[in-house]
Amino acid sequence: MKSPLLTKDPYNIIITGVGGQGNVMASRVLANMLVRRGCKVTIGETFGMSQRGGSVMSHLRVSATTVWSPQIPKRGADLIVAIEPVEALRVLADYGNPAVKVLVNMRPIYPVGVITGESDYPEPEKIRRAVTALSAAACFLDATEEAINLGNPILGNIIMIGAVEGLGVLPVNREVFETVIREGMPASRIEANLRAFDIGAAAVAGNC
Amino acid sequence: MELGKVMQQVKERDAAPAEKGEGLGGQKELEEMVLKAGLCTGCGACVNICPYQASYRDKTVTLHSCDLTRGRCYDFCPRTPADLGALQRKLYDESDITPELGAMRGFFITRATDTAIRRQSQHGGTVTALITLALREGLIDAAVLAGEGEGLLPQAVTVSDPETAGRLGKSRFVVSPTVAEFNRAIRTECRQIGVVATPCQALALAKMRTQSVTATEGGIEKLQLVIGLFCGWALSWRDLSTVLKEKMDLASITGMDIPPSRYHTLEVYTRGETIRISLDEINLCVRESCHSCGDMTAEFSDLSVGSARLPEGWETARQWNQVIVRTERGLDLLELARRRGILEFKEVPGGNLEKLKAASLNKKRVAATRPSVGNGSGDSYRQAG
Amino acid sequence: MSIDNEHKEGAEVLFMGNEAIARGALEAGVRVAAGYPGTPSSEIIETLSRSAKEGSLYVEWSTNEKVAMEVAAAASFAGLRSMCVMKQNGVNVASDFLLHLTGSGTRGGMILVTCDDPGALSSVNEGESRHFARLMEIPLLEPADFQEAKEMTRWAFTLSEEIRNIVMVRSVTRMSHASGNVVLGPLPPAGGTAEFLCDGPISDPEQGPIISAPVAEKHRLQQDKVRKAVSLFEKSLFNTYTGPKKPELLVITSSACRLYTREAVSMLAAEDRVGILKLGTTWPIPPALVKRYLTATEKILIVEEVLPFLEDQVKILAAEQVRETGIKTFFGKNDGTLPTTGELNPDLVAEAIGRILGIEPKTIPAAYGEKLRMLAGLIPRREQTFCPGCPHRASYWAIREALQRDGRGGFVCGDIGCYAMACLFPAAGFYTCKTLHAMGSGIGLASGFGKLGSFGLEQPVIAVCGDSTFYHAAIPALINAIHQDANVIFIALDNSGTAMTGFQSHPGIDINAMGNASPMVDIAALCKAMGAPVVVEDPFALKETRETLNSLMEGGGGLKVLILKQSCALSPEKKGKKRYLMQVDELLCKGDACGCNRLCTRIFRCPGLLWDRNKGKAQIDEVICAGCGVCAGICPAEAIRCEEAPVS
Ligand SMILES: Cc1cc2nc3c(=O)[nH]c(=O)nc-3n(C[C@H](O)[C@H](O)[C@H](O)COP(=O)(O)OP(=O)(O)OC[C@H]3O[C@@H](n4cnc5c(N)ncnc54)[C@H](O)[C@@H]3O)c2cc1C
Ligand code: SF4
Ligand code: SF4
């Protein structure tokens, strides 16, 4: 396999969201796509409690040559994929830097504290402004809404993977996506996943 | 101690908390000033208006915490500070108000004419006779009473059928969450409600009546009649059960009474025999909060009923009641009962009223020495002081 | 995904550390694997169970770690390769057997895989299992990347057979739950017959009975085995060095810390100043090898998680060899260069190296730092809580109300499982859970509390315990409580599965780890047989559960069992299926007025409920709500309505 083309080595991606949003699956799918394209990928993540409504973060290190630390150093993200808007802010607070690109699904999942009225959830406009100010490029999607239209809100994570492809910063494409999901998924679900992928890719292409 | 001195003490004790802001508080204040302070009467005024307080056995408990700074629980509770003198003046004719016994239009000795009622009643059956009369005559369409529950616990119930009401006589010396049941009843179909209430419960109902409609969510206008019970104290369910369990089978108990003070006993009637227990032992079972209560005659009722004192002795007296009538409505009911022959009347022996006043004053005196926030009737004596 | 069939030798795949360990075991020809679920270790047995087949690989979820180790040891005694898998605290449970096993020795290659959790990312302790290797005198291996996790596991079996003793392989969360590229090796053919040869003399390790006595002799033999392991470690390819010949600073490290260190050195661009000695064989450390590198430098930093384990060994070695190696300066845990609690990361290591070498870490442009301030106060905390539709929320609600009604200050002794969240985040359990320790300790503590009545303790004592925890370690304590007539209510929160770690089977379920039907052990029947009165309730029936609890609290002394049965919201039969369609009637909802004050969103706190500030009304979040219908039962205004959902 020939060495893949990377704009930076290692290229650091953080996929973030809330437990139950399919975050872990998204990172696995993206990483598998990259491995198929000849990359060495290291994913760092924690499970367990995170399933229960907590913030979930997956760190992906993409390299042409070697394994990297499963934890990205602070301020070291190249791409942040947030399946939940305030999670984008939470990750930016630690891993943001002037060159980072950010993809955000704008559907909020309210923390218990917000539900109970103990804390406030920021206005969407404020989130957009902060993300835009703290990144080199930002793109906001209504992935959950699109996914509900497709029949299942969980497809929001695949829309976000499509969006990553649409950005054009990684050596991945629809074909390799299809190969990867065909391996791990019943055939009946492939179609919806491919559509989700396309929606994401189209939403970002040329916008970000 | 003379009256003036007692009044002064009551005033001093109640002054500080009252100045803190009357009627302003929520669950937090209720917890601190009443529940944790051991002053809760178990009346249930704070129960069934929200999901946070509940009655369990003879106690009122907080299930979860509420952070509102102003709540009806605090407003309604008979143990939160309130200007009771003003409350009394608002609800009663000022000229009827006496310092020892509250508003008084008349003082009678009565009993139910119907012996069947008397047999099922504590003393003369006056309360049961009046309640069944009110139901039968349509003065009220529902009565909140304390029937017999499980294992010494009363069960607060709402009844609309006079027959059933007739079977719910007798005193239960463990408190009943009567006001909680009232709170539930006002949300039902019934339109005119009568309540048989101990002094603390009568006070809670009086506090509700003086709140604005929005504060009570409506419904309080359904309260048409309050028959008060004289009350020396009530007993803690857990403590009483423990004491009685050692001496008898709880299931065999058919009733209890406290004969005049010189006997110094609690009589427990069981199927087989009457068991007498020294008040020294029973006093240890008295609810903490009752020691701080200065109302013996349910001063916030339409009429109040207690046991009688007669020259013929206790065996005769226990068949009769003493009645203080406080309102027009109370008087009308009593006169109706007289006209219908529901109640028999007996001439009040000379000195009875004075003895009652002395007894009532004695309760106020004891209460005055106790630390308390809102004493049962503290303020009604202030004006006399 | 099964890791044996689809992936052929030579393929390069993305594996989670735990999958790599499982694959290593398969490549070694493991025949028996037993474990008890516990994050971050569970995926090893799970992965293996998918490759399990009659006669070639037997996999089981055992009732606890000690049993798992015994089951694996039996296979080894019968000549098969075997492994047992557990998380760090599981080793404590297994340690009694381990102490004797290390004395008796093994036959077929046997390994113990433990997954530690530095930083307690999904544990209630960050206890270390490495120390057991020293305590029990057995070799310890620690992989530092995914490929190595596979290779090392494979080799561990070989080593075990060389020395005829159990070998410990230790992973950490950041290794077990991280993923990376792994190139696959060949799988051996299936087969192997089991026979326990035991008729020989007691002194015959191959044919005699297997026991740890005579102790002096067996202990001496055991230490010979360790010495043999050390001689192999001296030449092991799992110990590597990268960096200059004479580094300014030598970092000695192992496991995930090696990756942090390499990252840190790269962040500081200090590749030509820092040497990294990565040890894969960490107990005992190979003395000659380490001595060689000590000699080449003056300053040594030891990077490890969590306590100074390597550091102690290196320092002892340096003291013993000081004449030859000269006096060194050591940095690590003892001098505070690195923290002795929590996990490490590249930033912490970079900071430490930077401080020693005087390198300023790179900083972000000031303007960006300025902009970051706009995030202040913008990010709400995301507290963990029970899932929407979780039976535990309902159970704790009933427990709370029952305790409050009882009014004697009763409390709950917590245990390990999702329901432990009630201890970690008190609001999630409505402030009922007051203790949390080891598996099964809830009922053990309760048994003790329940005997303090004669000293005036009048508070009702409740212990909660999940179904899996019940079988694991609660039974002896339960028997104790019954026998001592302790005043306790034991609540089994039976949600039909090891929910916390992902629905592994356990003795209460009629299917085993290999997916075969298996006899189940019924909690209620067991408790009854032990002589305890048993009541079963559905926690979703809040009122009934509460009433039952109150009557149990009233009903005098002795241990009583309440089983709260309702399956987990994430269980396969429930996940994604709503029983009810929920709706809030805005006209009825009292909102924050006196009479409700948002009981559902403020106190009950199911994530499926929302508080609409503008309207001042509660709402159902349809995406999140699991449709369990429980909240309808708590609303004082009967504003939350449930309607049977159409069956899809
Ligand atoms: C706790 C308590 C203490 C009392 N202490 C005294 C005292 O010190 N001196 C005195 O003269 N009289 C006292 N009484 C009143 C007395 O026992 C009789 O209730 C009263 O004389 C009326 O008699 P009766 O035959 O008319 O009652 P009945 O016709 O038998 O009617 C009694 C009514 O009281 C209601 N009731 C019973 N128990 C309770 C309760 N716990 N809370 C609220 N309502 C209840 C019943 O529902 C019934 O309607 C006390 C009563 C109670 C409940
Ligand atoms: S006295 Fe009555 S209103 Fe006050 S706290 Fe007790 S039960 Fe509630
Ligand atoms: S029905 Fe109510 S309690 Fe159940 S998941 Fe939905 S919001 Fe939560």
Side-chain angles (χ1 to χ4, degrees):
Chain A
M1 229 179 278
K2 66 173 176 9
S3 269
L5 280 179
L6 288 172
T7 48
K8 187 173 157 285
D9 199 330
Y11 189 86
N12 299 331
I13 309 167
I14 297 181
I15 302 185
T16 183
V18 175
Q21 282 193 307
N23 185 291
V24 171
M25 184 212 173
S27 64
R28 285 231 140 188
V29 167
L30 182 58
N32 268 304
M33 290 161 68
L34 288 158
V35 168
R36 299 222 160 235
R37 302 307 309 269
C39 299
K40 310 278 178 210
V41 185
T42 315
I43 318 177
E45 56 203 351
T46 51
F47 317 165
M49 289 292 215
S50 55
Q51 259 186 325
R52 278 85 191 160
S55 311
V56 191
M57 227 195 330
S58 299
H59 289 194
L60 271 71
R61 321 291 310 270
V62 190
S63 166
T65 54
T66 185
V67 56
W68 284 88
S69 152
Q71 298 194 65
I72 294 174
K74 295 282 144 69
R75 307 260 151 264
D78 298 308
L79 171 63
I80 295 171
V81 182
I83 316 183
E84 202 281 347
V86 291
E87 294 313 308
L89 301 184
R90 205 185 304 281
V91 170
L92 276 168
D94 282 336
Y95 298 92
N97 59 70
V100 69
K101 296 188 168 156
V102 187
L103 298 173
V104 190
N105 172 20
M106 287 304 284
R107 173 59 147 85
I109 293 194
Y110 298 113
V112 182
V114 171
I115 292 173
T116 61
E118 284 149 27
S119 46
D120 289 312
Y121 196 92
E123 305 284 311
E125 218 15 75
K126 267 200 180 152
I127 297 176
R128 281 172 206 269
R129 232 180 299 137
V131 171
T132 311
L134 291 167
S135 60
C139 196
F140 305 91
L141 295 90
D142 291 319
T144 304
E145 269 58 50
E146 299 278 6
I148 292 174
N149 292 340
L150 283 177
N152 191 350
I154 193 77
L155 287 171
N157 63 350
I158 299 298
I159 295 183
M160 296 308 285
I161 298 295
V164 171
E165 194 266 352
L167 265 186
V169 290
L170 290 169
V172 289
N173 56 31
R174 188 180 196 270
E175 202 188 322
V176 72
F177 170 74
E178 191 173 342
T179 322
V180 166
I181 59 163
R182 276 198 190 281
E183 228 167 50
M185 221 176 254
S188 58
R189 290 184 12 217
I190 304 294
E191 188 49 40
N193 274 273
L194 284 173
R195 270 202 285 154
F197 183 89
D198 292 341
I199 289 172
V204 168
N207 277 337
C208 201
Chain B
M1 219 176 348
E2 23 161 329
L3 188 58
K5 243 185 175 167
V6 175
M7 295 309 117
Q8 187 53 39
Q9 272 194 16
V10 169
K11 201 177 245 165
E12 277 164 17
R13 189 196 56 179
D14 287 354
E19 276 160 16
K20 270 204 270 178
E22 231 161 54
L24 277 184
Q27 188 202 54
K28 189 166 159 266
E29 288 72 21
L30 185 79
E31 280 248 305
E32 271 164 24
M33 293 175 161
V34 183
L35 291 163
K36 285 195 186 134
L39 291 178
C40 171
T41 68
C43 70
C46 58
V47 174
N48 284 346
I49 49 178
C50 76
Y52 297 99
Q53 270 79 238
S55 293
Y56 182 66
R57 306 213 180 246
D58 64 340
K59 284 192 318 232
T60 298
V61 298
T62 299
L63 295 178
H64 303 280
S65 68
C66 170
D67 59 2
L68 293 181
T69 52
R70 173 92 206 252
R72 287 175 293 160
C73 54
Y74 184 92
D75 286 350
F76 296 170
C77 173
R79 289 292 174 262
T80 52
D83 184 345
L84 300 180
L87 192 63
Q88 212 157 29
R89 288 191 293 277
K90 209 184 249 176
L91 295 169
Y92 298 93
D93 203 326
E94 211 166 333
S95 61
D96 291 339
I97 297 174
T98 71
E100 302 93 343
L101 298 173
M104 185 157 76
R105 292 218 161 173
F107 183 56
F108 305 89
I109 295 209
T110 64
R111 70 176 182 188
T113 315
D114 184 345
T115 49
I117 288 191
R118 284 217 304 271
R119 259 199 311 280
Q120 294 189 49
S121 296
Q122 186 69 12
H123 296 130
T126 302
V127 173
T128 303
L130 290 175
I131 280 291
T132 45
L133 175 69
L135 282 169
R136 210 164 270 135
E137 295 287 327
L139 302 174
I140 55 174
D141 61 1
V144 179
L145 305 173
E148 190 166 319
E150 252 173 71
L152 297 181
L153 283 166
Q155 188 185 13
V157 287
T158 305
V159 296
S160 47
D161 156 39
E163 304 301 316
T164 314
R167 285 194 296 272
L168 296 178
K170 289 197 179 162
S171 302
R172 338 230 177 252
F173 292 98
V174 169
V175 295
S176 130
T178 291
V179 191
E181 175 59 18
F182 171 77
N183 285 335
R184 194 194 62 79
I186 54 175
R187 292 201 309 268
T188 62
E189 303 284 74
C190 54
R191 303 211 315 274
Q192 290 157 307
I193 305 174
V195 184
V196 176
T198 58
C200 51
Q201 296 165 347
L203 173 57
L205 293 168
K207 285 177 105 176
M208 288 182 184
R209 281 166 75 176
T210 51
Q211 302 286 338
S212 67
V213 176
T214 42
T216 57
E217 281 193 346
I220 190 65
E221 70 288 347
K222 292 184 177 176
L223 180 61
Q224 290 295 319
L225 177 67
V226 177
I227 298 184
L229 301 175
F230 291 9
C231 182
W233 38 241
L235 300 171
S236 143
W237 167 77
R238 203 175 282 280
D239 295 345
L240 181 65
S241 314
T242 313
V243 168
L244 297 192
K245 242 182 243 164
E246 284 172 11
K247 304 186 198 301
M248 65 199 78
D249 172 14
L250 296 189
S252 71
I253 298 173
T254 56
M256 283 177 218
D257 205 0
I258 315 132
S261 47
R262 64 193 156 86
Y263 294 93
H264 200 67
T265 55
L266 172 82
E267 291 181 346
V268 184
Y269 315 120
T270 67
R271 264 174 226 123
E273 50 176 341
T274 295
I275 297 165
R276 292 188 173 79
I277 302 168
S278 162
L279 278 193
D280 292 338
E281 207 170 337
I282 295 302
N283 279 337
L284 298 172
C285 305
V286 172
R287 283 177 79 96
E288 181 65 25
S289 65
C290 293
H291 296 303
S292 302
C293 171
D295 184 356
M296 198 194 82
T297 59
E299 295 175 26
F300 287 94
S301 64
D302 290 305
L303 57 83
S304 301
V305 185
S307 69
R309 297 291 182 269
L310 295 174
E312 293 92 320
W314 174 234
E315 280 315 311
T316 307
R318 69 189 308 160
Q319 309 278 337
W320 291 86
N321 294 108
Q322 298 191 122
V323 181
I324 300 171
V325 176
R326 307 185 186 281
T327 63
E328 192 74 46
R329 204 180 331 196
L331 200 55
D332 288 350
L333 182 63
L334 202 74
E335 288 309 324
L336 182 67
R338 193 202 294 269
R339 281 202 304 281
R340 295 280 146 91
I342 297 288
L343 288 183
E344 289 173 31
F345 286 71
K346 194 179 176 75
E347 197 183 323
V348 179
N352 262 32
L353 189 58
E354 282 60 42
K355 277 187 202 146
L356 189 60
K357 284 186 174 175
S360 174
L361 194 59
N362 191 45
K363 191 174 179 191
K364 293 181 198 304
R365 184 178 292 140
V366 174
T369 62
R370 308 283 295 196
S372 156
V373 179
N375 178 279
S377 300
D379 246 45
S380 63
Y381 329 120
R382 274 182 205 168
Q383 25 172 4
Chain C
M1 226 182 289
S2 164
I3 56 165
D4 56 347
N5 303 325
E6 283 126 69
H7 302 298
K8 298 280 175 290
E9 182 182 355
E12 180 164 346
V13 296
L14 184 73
F15 265 175
M16 197 195 291
N18 281 344
E19 291 171 315
I21 290 170
R23 173 75 191 197
L26 285 181
E27 290 182 7
V30 68
R31 294 290 173 252
V32 170
Y36 182 81
T39 314
S41 73
S42 311
E43 295 81 6
I44 300 173
I45 291 288
E46 267 170 20
T47 307
L48 286 170
S49 74
R50 286 192 282 269
S51 305
K53 253 191 292 306
E54 274 305 294
S56 73
L57 173 61
Y58 171 76
V59 181
E60 76 169 39
W61 284 122
S62 308
T63 46
N64 68 34
E65 294 85 352
K66 178 167 172 280
V67 175
M69 190 177 282
E70 287 154 353
V71 164
S76 161
F77 295 174
L80 300 178
R81 287 193 163 184
S82 70
M83 73 194 291
C84 54
V85 183
M86 55 203 66
K87 71 181 290 184
Q88 75 275 11
N89 34 307
V91 184
N92 293 285
V93 176
S95 62
D96 195 11
F97 176 64
L98 184 59
L99 175 64
H100 296 88
L101 179 66
T102 54
S104 78
T106 57
R107 284 184 192 160
M110 175 174 178
I111 70 169
L112 157 64
V113 178
T114 105
C115 301
D116 289 9
D117 191 14
L121 300 170
S122 43
S123 305
V124 290
N125 66 77
E126 55 175 352
E128 262 198 71
S129 59
R130 291 191 297 174
H131 298 273
F132 277 101
R134 177 155 57 185
L135 195 64
M136 306 282 175
E137 300 171 275
I138 48 168
L140 171 66
L141 306 178
E142 292 186 73
D145 67 39
F146 311 97
Q147 187 73 42
E148 200 171 74
K150 178 178 84 70
E151 308 306 343
M152 204 175 250
T153 305
R154 191 162 52 91
W155 185 68
F157 287 94
T158 314
L159 176 62
S160 167
E161 274 163 16
E162 291 268 344
I163 64 167
R164 287 288 190 264
N165 213 345
I166 185 170
V167 170
M168 181 161 160
V169 178
R170 182 238 194 190
S171 176
V172 293
T173 304
R174 299 290 181 188
M175 189 54 58
S176 281
H177 276 178
S179 306
N181 299 46
V182 174
V183 179
L184 305 184
L187 292 173
T193 44
E195 187 184 3
F196 181 31
L197 304 174
C198 52
D199 283 339
I202 201 161
S203 54
D204 182 347
E206 300 307 321
Q207 311 257 317
I210 303 187
I211 57 173
S212 60
V215 173
E217 194 180 313
K218 287 287 170 79
H219 197 181
R220 203 173 330 103
L221 190 65
Q222 185 188 348
Q223 291 177 350
D224 288 345
K225 295 172 177 184
V226 173
R227 273 186 285 277
K228 182 161 182 197
V230 172
S231 69
L232 294 169
F233 288 176
E234 292 287 5
K235 296 170 294 204
S236 170
L237 296 178
F238 296 125
N239 302 321
T240 60
Y241 177 80
T242 44
K245 276 223 168 54
K246 287 204 166 300
E248 215 172 301
L249 175 70
L250 174 71
V251 177
I252 301 180
T253 185
S254 65
S255 190
C257 291
R258 179 273 197 137
L259 294 174
Y260 305 153
T261 305
R262 223 183 57 188
E263 185 99 35
V265 171
S266 138
M267 283 158 78
L268 298 169
E271 284 88 347
D272 50 1
R273 296 172 68 186
V274 182
I276 303 175
L277 176 61
K278 187 275 291 190
L279 295 178
T281 66
T282 47
W283 198 85
I285 56 169
L289 175 93
V290 175
K291 193 177 114 192
R292 209 159 54 240
Y293 289 101
L294 288 183
T295 317
T297 187
E298 295 306 313
K299 291 182 186 149
I300 297 120
L301 167 67
I302 295 104
V303 181
E304 63 188 318
E305 288 167 337
V306 174
L307 295 172
F309 176 79
L310 281 179
E311 185 172 333
D312 287 358
Q313 291 190 70
V314 170
K315 283 178 175 169
I316 290 168
L317 183 78
E320 287 167 352
Q321 310 281 340
V322 70
R323 258 180 242 283
E324 288 156 76
T325 60
I327 293 171
K328 308 289 169 194
T329 310
F330 287 97
F331 303 92
K333 303 268 178 178
N334 281 342
D335 70 334
T337 302
L338 286 166
T340 48
T341 60
E343 63 168 347
L344 297 180
N345 58 42
D347 297 286
L348 281 172
V349 179
E351 210 184 289
I353 297 176
R355 231 180 304 131
I356 296 167
L357 295 183
I359 308 173
E360 284 290 320
K362 267 185 269 165
T363 52
I364 46 155
Y368 193 82
E370 211 36 60
K371 278 194 219 160
L372 276 171
R373 291 212 188 143
M374 69 194 286
L375 292 178
L378 216 56
I379 309 172
R381 221 159 57 86
R382 211 178 269 287
E383 192 179 283
Q384 281 158 16
T385 186
F386 295 120
C387 303
C390 176
H392 298 322
R393 179 179 294 102
S395 296
Y396 281 120
W397 185 266
I399 292 172
R400 160 85 184 186
E401 294 208 339
L403 285 175
Q404 292 299 105
R405 277 154 45 111
D406 179 85
R408 287 176 290 171
F411 55 87
V412 177
C413 298
D415 220 305
I416 303 297
C418 284
Y419 52 98
M421 259 193 293
C423 311
L424 305 172
F425 310 101
F430 314 114
Y431 306 95
T432 51
C433 268
K434 306 298 184 186
T435 70
L436 179 61
H437 298 83
M439 300 271 294
S441 293
I443 176 64
L445 285 167
S447 178
F449 279 123
K451 287 312 292 178
L452 299 181
S454 66
F455 297 97
L457 187 130
E458 285 172 0
Q459 298 154 281
V461 180
I462 294 178
V464 291
C465 176
D467 38 346
S468 187
T469 305
F470 177 85
Y471 302 105
H472 178 283
I475 295 172
L478 190 61
I479 292 174
N480 190 64
I482 293 170
H483 175 61
Q484 311 300 343
D485 204 23
N487 220 341
V488 173
I489 298 172
F490 176 74
I491 303 183
L493 300 167
D494 184 352
N495 60 0
S496 312
T498 317
M500 179 85 223
T501 46
F503 297 99
Q504 294 81 5
S505 79
H506 65 54
I509 294 171
D510 57 4
I511 199 156
N512 65 18
M514 295 167 65
N516 301 328
S518 61
M520 60 186 257
V521 181
D522 181 55
I523 296 182
L526 202 55
C527 292
K528 278 185 207 147
M530 291 191 280
V534 178
V535 190
V536 183
E537 290 284 356
D538 171 2
F540 282 2
L542 297 173
K543 276 216 181 77
E544 287 78 359
T545 304
R546 184 188 74 188
E547 295 298 330
T548 299
L549 260 171
N550 274 129
S551 65
L552 291 179
M553 280 181 219
E554 257 336 306
L559 181 127
K560 296 155 219 152
V561 176
L562 172 62
I563 298 176
L564 294 181
K565 209 168 170 59
Q566 178 65 250
S567 54
C568 171
L570 301 180
S571 65
E573 79 262 26
K574 272 195 182 172
K575 199 174 180 181
K577 298 172 201 124
K578 291 189 188 200
R579 166 124 194 250
Y580 297 107
L581 295 176
M582 307 300 294
Q583 214 179 353
V584 177
D585 184 331
E586 288 188 2
L587 292 175
L588 291 179
C589 172
K590 290 188 185 174
D592 51 13
C594 174
C596 177
N597 190 20
R598 304 194 286 112
L599 183 76
C600 60
T601 54
R602 202 174 55 84
I603 306 285
F604 188 66
R605 298 155 80 99
C606 175
L609 291 154
L610 287 177
W611 173 241
D612 184 330
R613 279 174 204 228
N614 300 328
K615 285 193 189 153
K617 302 284 174 187
Q619 263 184 5
I620 297 285
D621 185 331
E622 278 156 46
V623 177
I624 309 280
C625 170
C628 69
V630 174
C631 54
I634 64 139
C635 174
E638 290 172 21
I640 308 181
R641 299 252 166 93
C642 28
E643 192 188 299
E644 291 282 342
V647 234
S648 49

